[in-house]
């Protein structure tokens, strides 16, 4: 199964290089390792598995579907658990605009403008989204 | 809502099979094409299924069988096949369909005795399960169109598909 970052977009990040191939590989390796780690270390039967991690600067939220689609969202620390949000992005955006679009090849970079704009509006409409002063 | 759509769906499927028969002139080939189309449908349908049913990952093949029969078939075809004939190893079972919406109004002509009319379903199941890391073999064991009393789909678990770590180039 190929690991390809099929879409990434962001606001308010001050790193100069955006979303390089190197970063995607790093991200995938990290997620794969964390998942494997927590399932081995889990004292009881794992239910949802890896939910999120946070540093002193940001929080990374994770949601994976049984089909292996992984959704990652980075937010400020104040944001509570985003699993429902990511689940919604999957079912109302990814499934509706990508899966159901016969021209979109699954597993490759997403080429749908409609998906990008819907995703953008969705994120902007989230209660914890706020435009930070520059 | 499903009642209204089902006739159009049945007729569309019938037109599809008829066209394939004209194009390929060989029942085995048509079966293969239907299976392939079903596979392409299945790999996408699974995502829609997961989005709409909020069913989580199944823990074993028995749970998978129940979800397929009671949730998936109901959701997409409006029928609930029964799950029976488990193999002793628990890796093979049958879905018995009392009715099959694909074959409403259909009779197979004599010159198409090798046609497995609903082959699309085999492909759909195969494709969908592959996306949740299960390799299965799906085939029709009995078919009302070919004279049997019921339609029986036999599903066999082959193996788990492991997720591969991408090869690093460092």
């Amino acid at each position: 199964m190929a690991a390809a970052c099929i879409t990434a977009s962001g606001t308010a990040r001050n790193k100069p290089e955006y979303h390089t191939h190197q970063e995607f590989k790093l991200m995938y390796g990290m997620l794969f390792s964390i998942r494997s780690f927590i399932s081995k270390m889990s004292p009881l039967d794992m239910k949802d598995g890896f939910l999120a991690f946070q540093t002193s600067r940001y929080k990374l939220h994770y949601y994976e579907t049984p089909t292996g689609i992984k959704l990652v969202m980075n937010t400020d620390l104040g944001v509570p658990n985003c699993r429902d949000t990511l689940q919604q992005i999957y079912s109302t955006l990814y499934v509706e605009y990508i899966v159901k679009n016969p021209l979109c090849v699954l597993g490759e970079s997403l080429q749908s403008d409609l998906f990008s704009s819907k995703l953008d509006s969705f994120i902007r409409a989230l209660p914890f989204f706020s435009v930070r002063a520059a | 809502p499903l009642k209204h759509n089902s006739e159009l769906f049945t007729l569309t499927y019938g037109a599809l099979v008829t066209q394939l028969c004209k194009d390929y002139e060989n029942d085995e080939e048509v079966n293969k094409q239907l299976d392939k189309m079903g596979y392409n449908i299945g790999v996408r349908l699974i995502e829609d299924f997961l989005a709409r049913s909020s069913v989580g990952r199944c823990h074993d093949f028995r749970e998978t069988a129940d979800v397929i029969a009671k949730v998936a078939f109901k959701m997409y075809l409006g029928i609930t096949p029964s799950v029976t004939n488990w193999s002793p190893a628990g890796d093979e079972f049958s879905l018995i369909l009392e009715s099959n919406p694909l074959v409403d109004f259909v009779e197979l002509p004599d010159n198409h005795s090798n046609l497995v009319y609903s082959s699309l379903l085999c492909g759909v199941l195969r494709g969908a399960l592959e996306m949740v890391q299960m390799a299965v073999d799906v085939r029709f064991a009995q078919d009302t169109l070919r004279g049997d009393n019921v339609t029986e789909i036999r599903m066999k678990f082959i193996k788990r598909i492991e997720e591969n770590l991408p090869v690093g180039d460092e």
Side-chain angles (χ1 to χ4, degrees), chain B residues 63-81:
Chain B
E63 205 181 322
T64 306
D66 282 339
V67 170
I68 291 174
K70 297 178 183 142
V71 190
F73 264 87
K74 186 137 177 60
M75 187 186 284
Y76 291 109
L77 291 176
I79 57 173
T80 310

Side-chain angles (χ1 to χ4, degrees), chain B residues 8-38 41 100-109 111-122 140 143 145-146:
Chain B
L8 179 58
F9 174 64
T10 304
L11 293 172
T12 305
Y13 187 69
L16 172 72
V17 178
T18 306
Q19 189 60 50
L20 285 177
C21 288
K22 289 201 183 107
D23 290 344
Y24 289 97
E25 294 180 19
N26 169 327
D27 287 349
E28 292 304 328
E29 194 55 41
V30 175
N31 295 341
K32 260 176 45 186
Q33 289 301 320
L34 285 172
D35 185 86
K36 194 166 128 183
M37 283 187 192
I41 292 175
N100 178 355
L102 291 178
V103 309
D104 289 341
F105 331 127
V106 174
E107 264 178 34
L108 278 189
N111 57 336
H112 286 288
S113 52
N114 285 327
L115 182 65
V116 183
Y117 186 86
S118 306
S119 286
L120 194 94
L121 289 182
C122 299
F140 276 88
D143 189 351
L145 286 185
R146 297 166 83 188

